[in-house]
């Protein structure tokens, strides 16, 4: 692997470039016309403009990306996250073009991309699951009776969904068929598949996950994370390790996640996601993400392992060279996602020129940003500007450090979620780790106090 093309943008592309440079690997950035002059273009060894601003004509255009690889002589491709990172057909085309695909096999991507099939694979590996339907729902059958058997409330989910999308809650029998029909239409529009399935709904659940690595022979985990602070099923703050998990459940999550990776013959980095029901003391499988996660830095912080480096090493055929017993877990880490959004105005996107971007520093502080002062945030893509990551020997110290760091972070020219992060880190439920996936919506005063 001598030249790596990064088929992505923003902070994750910058993050991959940095590790590749440290490994002596040349990098190629692909940018849309709207991203000319970005830090990705600035930091990469070379760049190629692959199309106009709309993602469908640039970052989601396989032909343009593969043409860029050919024209620059790239011999490997890292998809980052989002865009084409979990597109099995794109992975096949990359491999067919003679490039090294930095990720799991297309077969593994397809298996885990179909949520009902992934559920079956999880059951086979001994991963705990919620009560629900096995495989895609047969809508021609008596779906009301199936729903009655699971119990209310329940959720209908798109089999090809992910990232919190394609999910609808059902409260009563009378709403079953209508909600399923709506969910099918949404799933078809978003994921080109109308397959859906039922699953028991967990009230005030926590979202926990396990980071796994595999080289085809050796499979390990890098601990667990909690991603329960969410807004409309989108993660806002993550931390590692997950606080307050009973030891038995933590070990069950970790061991079965590794077994799922093993049975899948998994290559590279992946994340097995769970719901934790504190009321019942249970964890249950949600999905497996076959890519690098946005929140991967907090796993790096508590293990000292560079996940992008491991991805690249595995992709070029190297073995991990260590086992589970060699991995040490140290301290506690938080990640705060900083978006170009206005929390006081229903989180409306806030594109525009960044006049100033002042990030805090100090021991245990890391900032992964795709932008600098003077650059423009364009309205065509995800609003993530970057991530503030803090580490300390324990959770209380890490939270105190986070409050200090967020207080010193200043971004002007556009609206951002920094003020919201300052409020959340001081929230009583967050301090005691009793928050859940709907805490932000349930704390009515929260939005009004963000200034």
């Amino acid at each position: 692997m001598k030249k790596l093309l990064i088929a992505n943008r923003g902070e994750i592309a910058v993050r991959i470039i940095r590790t590749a440079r440290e490994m002596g690997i040349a990098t190629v950035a692909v940018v849309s016309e709207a991203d000319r002059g970005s830090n990705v273009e600035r930091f990469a060894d070379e760049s190629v403009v692959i199309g106009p601003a709309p993602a469908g004509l640039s970052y989601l255009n396989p032909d343009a990306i593969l043409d860029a690889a050919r024209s620059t002589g790239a011999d490997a491709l890292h998809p980052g996250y989002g865009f084409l990172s979990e597109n099995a057909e794109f992975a096949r085309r990359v491999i067919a073009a003679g490039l090294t695909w930095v990720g799991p096999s297309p077969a593994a991507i397809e298996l885990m991309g179909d949520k009902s099939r992934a559920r079956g694979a999880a059951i086979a590996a001994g991963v705990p699951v919620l009560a629900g339907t096995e495989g895609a729902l047969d809508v021609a059958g008596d779906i009301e009776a199936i729903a009655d058997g699971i119990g209310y409330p329940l959720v209908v989910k798109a089999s090809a969904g992910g990232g919190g999308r394609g999910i609808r809650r059902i409260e009563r029998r009378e709403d079953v068929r209508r909600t399923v029909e709506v969910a099918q239409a949404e799933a078809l529009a978003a994921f080109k598949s109308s397959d859906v399935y039922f699953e028991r709904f967990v009230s005030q659940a926590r979202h926990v996950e396990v980071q796994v690595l595999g080289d085809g022979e050796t499979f390990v985990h890098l601990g667990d994370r909690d991603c329960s602070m969410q807004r409309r099923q989108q993660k806002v703050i993550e931390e590692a390790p997950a606080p307050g998990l009973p030891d038995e459940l933590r070990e069950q999550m970790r061991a079965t996640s590794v077994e799922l990776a093993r049975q899948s013959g998994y290559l590279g980095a992946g994340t097995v996601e769970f719901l934790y029901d504190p009321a019942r003391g249970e964890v249950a499988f949600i999905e497996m993400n076959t890519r690098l996660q946005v929140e991967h830095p907090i796993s790096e912080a508590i293990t000292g392992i560079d996940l992008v480096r491991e991805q690249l090493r595995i992709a070029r055929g190297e073995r991990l060279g260590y086992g589970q017993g060699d991995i040490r877990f140290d301290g506690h880490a938080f990640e705060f996602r900083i978006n170009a959004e206005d929390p006081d105005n229903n989180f409306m996107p806030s594109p525009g020129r960044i006049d100033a971007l002042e990030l805090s520093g100090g021991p245990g502080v890391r900032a992964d940003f795709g932008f600098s002062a003077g650059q423009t945030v364009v309205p065509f893509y995800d609003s993530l500007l970057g991530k503030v990551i803090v580490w300390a020997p324990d959770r209380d110290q890490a939270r105190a450090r986070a409050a200090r760091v967020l207080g010193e972070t200043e971004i002007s020219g556009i609206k951002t979620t920094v003020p919201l992060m300052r409020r959340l880190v001081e929230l009583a439920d967050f301090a005691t780790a009793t928050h859940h996936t709907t805490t932000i919506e349930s704390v009515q005063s929260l939005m009004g106090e963000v200034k």
Side-chain angles (χ1 to χ4, degrees):
M1 188 184 296
K2 298 188 181 302
K3 185 180 286 191
L4 176 70
L5 184 142
I6 297 131
N8 219 293
R9 65 180 299 278
E11 65 87 17
I12 188 57
V14 172
R15 191 264 165 272
I16 294 165
I17 288 169
R18 286 172 172 159
T19 287
R21 177 168 291 169
E22 291 176 8
M23 297 175 70
I25 301 170
T27 54
V28 177
V30 292
V31 298
S32 70
E33 291 172 359
D35 278 338
R36 292 302 308 269
S38 66
N39 279 347
V40 178
E41 191 173 47
R42 172 185 163 200
F43 295 146
D45 294 300
E46 42 187 318
S47 63
V48 178
V49 178
I50 54 171
L57 301 175
S58 52
Y59 299 108
L60 289 171
N61 185 340
D63 292 333
I65 293 170
L66 290 172
D67 285 346
R70 279 189 286 268
S71 68
T72 59
D75 58 5
L77 184 147
H78 195 308
Y81 54 68
F83 293 131
L84 295 169
S85 63
E86 293 181 284
N87 186 310
E89 183 55 34
F90 178 61
R92 287 193 180 94
R93 290 190 60 182
V94 171
I95 295 166
L99 302 172
T100 296
W101 167 254
V102 183
S105 69
I109 295 173
E110 273 183 338
L111 172 63
M112 294 303 164
D114 185 317
K115 299 303 180 279
S116 56
R117 286 182 62 207
R119 177 183 165 92
I123 292 170
V127 182
V129 300
L130 289 169
T133 51
E134 307 305 327
L137 189 65
D138 180 4
V139 294
D142 190 349
I143 58 176
E144 288 84 359
I146 296 172
D148 291 345
I150 296 169
Y152 302 95
L154 72 153
V155 289
V156 56
K157 293 185 174 184
S159 293
R165 296 181 298 162
I167 302 173
R168 283 194 166 254
R169 182 171 167 175
I170 302 174
E171 298 285 351
R172 55 183 188 161
R173 192 178 211 271
E174 292 80 4
D175 297 333
V176 169
R177 191 160 296 274
R178 176 182 59 82
T179 306
V180 167
E181 289 172 352
V182 171
Q184 282 189 297
E186 290 177 345
L188 185 62
F191 308 112
K192 299 182 181 178
S193 169
S194 62
D195 286 351
V196 296
Y197 65 101
F198 284 150
E199 202 166 70
R200 178 173 71 83
F201 176 77
V202 179
S203 177
Q204 297 191 348
R206 280 175 51 192
H207 183 127
V208 293
E209 59 191 34
V210 176
Q211 177 70 60
V212 295
L213 273 176
D215 64 9
E217 292 184 3
T218 301
F219 303 89
V220 298
H221 68 79
L222 271 62
D224 44 78
R225 303 186 286 248
D226 186 295
C227 310
S228 300
M229 193 61 83
Q230 300 183 7
R231 176 186 162 270
R232 297 178 184 171
Q233 299 175 330
Q234 298 298 311
K235 299 169 184 175
V236 173
I237 301 172
E238 303 97 354
E239 60 183 296
L245 272 182
D247 290 343
E248 183 178 347
L249 286 185
R250 193 185 303 277
E251 290 308 312
Q252 181 187 29
M253 281 174 47
R254 292 176 171 185
T256 57
S257 295
V258 171
E259 184 58 28
L260 179 59
R262 188 186 316 280
Q263 290 197 15
S264 305
Y266 199 83
L267 287 172
T271 299
V272 185
E273 301 197 345
F274 296 83
L275 278 181
Y276 170 45
D277 185 348
R280 294 194 182 198
E282 298 174 349
V283 292
F285 176 78
I286 304 174
E287 63 182 345
M288 184 176 187
N289 288 306
T290 53
R291 54 170 169 78
L292 196 65
Q293 293 277 91
V294 178
E295 58 270 25
H296 75 275
I298 53 176
S299 294
E300 296 178 328
I302 64 169
T303 62
I305 293 173
D306 182 329
L307 276 160
V308 174
R309 179 182 292 271
E310 298 307 281
Q311 285 187 300
L312 295 174
R313 288 182 57 239
I314 291 166
R316 64 188 187 189
E318 296 181 30
R319 296 300 176 197
L320 284 178
Y322 52 84
Q324 192 65 60
D326 300 309
I327 299 173
R328 296 288 177 263
F329 299 100
D330 181 31
H332 201 93
F334 288 106
E335 176 181 280
F336 300 86
R337 300 193 190 193
I338 309 302
N339 286 40
E341 297 172 353
D342 184 357
D344 283 333
N345 187 23
N346 199 31
F347 291 87
M348 288 294 290
S350 179
R353 185 181 186 275
I354 301 173
D355 292 335
L357 197 160
E358 299 177 18
L359 302 173
S360 180
V365 179
R366 167 178 165 183
D368 284 10
F369 273 70
F371 294 86
S372 300
Q375 295 182 334
T376 298
V377 179
V378 295
F380 308 106
Y381 315 110
D382 183 270
S383 62
L384 183 67
L385 296 175
K387 302 161 328 194
V388 172
I389 303 104
V390 297
W391 175 95
D394 60 42
R395 189 176 192 270
D396 286 342
Q397 291 181 70
R399 195 174 67 86
R401 178 166 289 168
R404 190 268 299 170
V405 168
L406 291 167
E408 295 175 357
T409 298
E410 295 292 341
I411 304 173
S412 63
I414 58 172
K415 298 286 187 179
T416 76
T417 53
V418 170
L420 174 64
M421 296 300 116
R422 293 172 183 156
R423 175 76 176 107
L424 291 175
V425 80
E426 300 291 353
L427 197 65
D429 285 353
F430 186 68
T432 57
T434 54
H435 59 291
H436 48 80
T437 56
T438 55
T439 289
I440 291 180
E441 286 84 0
S442 65
V443 180
Q444 295 298 318
S445 63
L446 191 59
M447 296 301 100
E449 294 184 27
V450 175
K451 300 299 181 188

